[in-house]
């Protein structure tokens, strides 16, 4: 009988080994405890489809819940990468599916040693003995945290007699997230694939959208494409927002009927089998023609987005990309009469925030809002080749936020227009690559 085993995470085991080697280097003589994600309850006794913790995935490629990875630089060769995993168990596998078990963890995932997860409490103290420090992220892993604290406390209790305990509990985040922020060529290839599928879905959505269809029917077209292409599904709750719904930044109800005369804002991207994500927003007229006001605001957001994308290059900063978009937006809003005053003053006062209330982008990778610092103290992190960020300015005209003192009341003809344009952009040696360029965005392409 053929045994149908999952393929996710078995690709390129050498890649995960390389990451672990770099993580060990960064750790120095501290041990690290990196937990997997648990299953999350959807309701009653039903669970959400499993989603691995990205730090754990990055270092192991192991796609099961209730596992813990130990990195033990103080141990002898052959005992440094230890996985605790759910053991093979026929009755559990009949209900929940295949598990690699401890043997699979060693044979296929490069673990030096593997144990059943229920032995973690009893073994953790011994494994951590002799480490100079313990890298563990407090506040995120409620089931593992008490075990780590107990193991460290026991070391501290014994220290007066044996003279040794880890000096401190440190966060692994700065080390690990600095690694994850800089993508390798293999990771860029996966992000290109996520971008390809996501861009195709946006092109399909624009072809089918028409007045009378519900937002959810358009969502179905997008997510069907993700699944057909072998992605796990949407990377985040797809936003399919007709008309004024687009002014709700995290609108995911997707249950309204598309109206003639409205714009449709779609913010959707897929998550691949190995968790790399796309994140694209496009906005277009439901019935194929912009109104004058819609066209003016669309052209303005597009100009801001293109200027911001053009600014992406090594040595610049995410803050600079935001400021680039913001200046174009505010200049245009003054020209359209939606803001009054001198541009520098408006920027300084934040007098545009009732129309543009979010940042212009974020890092993108295994998490949609990916890890990595944007600033270190007062210093904005400079863009480097291998970093990937979204560029996503928008304008949202509604009554939800008050018009700031001194700014004009908004004429009704502008209201209910919400526009965002979002691309995924990789920083390259000599500039950048727009990973999502296959999703069209020119004014002409948005009309039919
Ligand atoms: N879809 C979430 C974002 O654009 O950041
Ligand atoms: Mn988005
Ligand atoms: Mn985004």
């Amino acid at each position: 009988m053929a045994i149908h085993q999952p393929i996710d995470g078995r690709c390129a085991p050498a890649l995960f080994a390389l990451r672990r080697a770099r993580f060990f280097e960064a750790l120095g003589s501290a041990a690290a405890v990196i937990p997997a994600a648990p299953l999350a309850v959807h309701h009653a006794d039903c669970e959400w489809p499993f989603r691995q913790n990205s730090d754990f995935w990055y270092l192991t490629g192991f796609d099961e819940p209730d596992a813990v990875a130990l990195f033990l630089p103080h141990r002898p060769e052959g005992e440094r990468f230890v996985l605790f995993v759910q053991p093979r168990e026929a009755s559990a596998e009949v209900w929940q599916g295949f598990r690699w078990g401890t043997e699979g963890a060693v044979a296929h995932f490069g673990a030096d040693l593997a144990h059943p997860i229920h032995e973690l409490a009893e073994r953790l103290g011994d494994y951590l003995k002799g480490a100079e420090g313990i890298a563990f992220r407090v506040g995120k892993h409620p089931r593992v945290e008490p075990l780590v604290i107990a193991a460290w406390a026991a070391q501290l209790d014994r220290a007066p007699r044996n003279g040794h305990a880890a000096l401190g509990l440190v966060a692994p985040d700065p080390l690990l997230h600095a690694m994850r922020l800089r993508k390798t060529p293999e990771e860029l290839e996966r992000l290109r694939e996520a971008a390809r599928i996501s861009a195709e879905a946006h092109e399909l959505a624009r072809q089918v959208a028409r007045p009378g269809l519900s937002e959810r029917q358009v969502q179905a077209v997008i997510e069907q494409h993700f699944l057909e292409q072998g992605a796990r599904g949407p990377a985040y709750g797809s936003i399919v927002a007709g008309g004024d719904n687009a002014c709700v930044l995290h609108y995911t109800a997707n249950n309204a009927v598309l109206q003639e005369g409205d714009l449709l804002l779609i913010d959707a991207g897929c998550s691949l089998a190995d968790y790399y994500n796309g994140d694209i927003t496009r906005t277009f007229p439901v019935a194929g023609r912009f109104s004058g006001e819609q066209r003016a605001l669309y052209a303005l957001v597009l100009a801001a987005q293109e200027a911001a994308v053009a600014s992406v290059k090594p040595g610049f900063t995410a803050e600079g990309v935001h400021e680039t978009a913001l200046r174009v937006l505010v200049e245009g809003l003054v020209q359209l009469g939606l803001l009054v005053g001198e541009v520098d003053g408006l920027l300084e006062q934040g007098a545009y925030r009732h129309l543009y209330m979010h940042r212009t982008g974020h890092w993108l990778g295994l998490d949609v809002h990916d890890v990595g610092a944007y600033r270190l103290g007062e210093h904005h992190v400079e863009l480097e080749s291998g970093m990937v960020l979204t560029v996503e300015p928008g304008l949202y005209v509604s009554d939800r936020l008050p018009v700031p003192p001194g700014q004009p009341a908004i004429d009704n003809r502008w209201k209910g227009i919400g526009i965002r344009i979002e691309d995924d952009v990789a920083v390259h040696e000599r500039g950048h690559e727009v990973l999502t360029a296959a999703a069209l965005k020119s004014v002409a392409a948005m009309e039919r």
Side-chain angles (χ1 to χ4, degrees):
M1 187 189 74
I3 299 180
H4 192 79
Q5 292 177 338
I7 52 165
D8 303 341
R10 285 205 295 154
C11 43
L15 196 65
F16 295 101
L18 200 67
R19 292 171 181 173
R20 286 193 294 274
R22 291 184 50 217
F23 185 49
F24 270 119
E25 234 170 76
L27 280 172
S29 48
V33 182
I34 308 289
L39 276 167
V41 173
H42 183 279
H43 75 282
D45 59 351
C46 295
E47 280 140 353
W48 288 100
F50 179 62
R51 206 302 185 179
Q52 189 54 284
N53 173 283
S54 297
D55 283 340
F56 182 88
W57 172 266
Y58 183 80
L59 293 168
T60 66
F62 191 71
D63 201 26
E64 294 183 24
D66 298 325
V68 171
L70 301 186
F71 299 85
L72 307 167
H74 58 288
R75 304 279 297 185
E77 184 95 31
E79 299 179 21
R80 290 186 184 148
F81 171 41
V82 180
L83 278 174
F84 285 81
V85 301
Q86 298 181 112
R88 305 269 343 238
E89 194 184 313
S91 58
E93 290 182 52
V94 162
W95 287 92
Q96 290 145 8
F98 175 82
R99 294 173 173 180
W100 286 105
T102 51
E103 282 180 24
V106 172
H108 296 283
F109 295 89
D112 294 326
L113 299 164
H115 307 284
I117 186 71
H118 57 255
E119 294 180 13
L120 180 64
E122 141 201 356
R123 292 182 181 270
L124 186 61
D126 280 344
Y127 273 126
L128 293 178
K129 209 179 284 170
E132 297 283 322
I134 301 169
F136 174 76
R137 176 61 157 89
V138 294
K140 292 275 193 210
H141 309 285
R143 282 199 272 184
V144 179
E145 184 169 316
L147 307 185
V148 175
I149 302 286
W152 186 37
Q155 284 191 356
L156 292 167
D157 288 344
R158 284 192 307 266
R161 289 190 298 280
N162 66 14
H164 200 278
L167 287 177
L169 205 53
V170 298
D173 305 25
L175 308 176
L176 199 46
H177 295 176
M179 286 172 61
R180 282 179 54 193
L181 175 57
R182 293 162 181 87
K183 276 71 180 174
T184 60
E186 293 87 352
E187 291 184 283
L188 287 174
E189 210 35 68
R190 301 306 292 151
L191 285 164
R192 277 188 201 102
E193 172 72 353
R196 175 189 68 79
I197 297 169
S198 305
E200 286 170 0
H202 278 264
E203 289 297 299
L204 287 172
R206 201 173 66 256
Q207 284 162 28
V208 302
R210 59 175 188 277
L213 224 53
S214 80
E215 293 165 342
R216 191 160 294 150
Q217 285 172 297
V218 179
Q219 177 185 359
V221 169
I222 291 166
E223 295 184 7
Q224 177 176 350
H225 188 70
F226 293 166
L227 297 174
E228 278 176 354
Q229 293 292 310
R232 281 177 194 254
Y236 50 89
S238 301
I239 297 168
V240 183
D244 176 70
N245 292 336
C247 299
V248 178
L249 298 177
H250 290 169
Y251 176 82
T252 51
N254 300 353
N255 58 3
V257 174
L258 300 179
Q259 305 292 323
E260 180 100 32
D262 277 351
L263 296 180
L264 176 58
L265 180 153
I266 301 176
D267 183 345
C270 73
S271 188
L272 297 182
D274 54 8
Y275 295 113
Y276 287 96
N277 297 300
D279 182 7
I280 303 181
T281 308
R282 291 292 182 265
T283 311
F284 57 88
V286 169
R289 300 296 294 178
F290 284 111
S291 72
E293 289 78 12
Q294 290 168 347
R295 186 189 304 268
L297 290 184
Y298 186 86
L300 176 53
V301 175
L302 184 60
Q305 204 258 0
E306 287 180 333
V309 169
S311 75
V312 173
K313 58 173 180 291
F316 204 48
T317 63
E319 179 68 14
V321 174
H322 175 59
E323 285 169 0
T324 303
L326 205 46
R327 181 166 289 276
V328 176
L329 287 176
V330 169
E331 283 171 1
L333 289 168
V334 170
Q335 274 167 23
L336 293 171
L338 285 158
L339 293 179
V340 294
E342 178 250 333
V343 171
D344 285 329
L346 294 170
L347 286 167
E348 211 163 291
Q349 296 151 24
Y352 53 83
R353 287 207 188 100
H354 58 306
L355 299 167
Y356 182 44
M357 60 297 284
H358 60 77
R359 303 285 300 176
T360 300
H362 50 83
W363 307 129
L364 179 73
L366 287 174
D367 290 345
V368 174
H369 292 178
D370 207 24
V371 294
Y374 294 89
R375 57 193 294 170
L376 300 166
E378 288 307 297
H379 175 75
H380 291 284
V381 170
E382 287 187 3
L383 299 177
E384 286 173 31
S385 179
M387 293 180 179
V388 177
L389 70 163
T390 67
V391 179
E392 49 177 311
L395 287 172
Y396 312 90
V397 191
S398 82
D399 283 330
R400 287 178 183 78
L401 295 175
V403 175
Q407 292 304 317
I410 296 167
D411 199 280
N412 278 339
R413 69 198 170 96
W414 298 103
K415 287 184 187 160
I417 300 180
I419 297 166
R420 179 165 63 256
I421 304 173
E422 174 175 29
D423 280 307
D424 304 341
V425 183
V427 185
H428 276 195
E429 301 273 303
R430 263 181 253 100
H432 62 263
E433 172 188 351
V434 180
L435 305 177
T436 45
L440 304 181
K441 63 184 177 186
S442 70
V443 174
M446 295 301 99
E447 296 197 315
R448 56 168 183 258

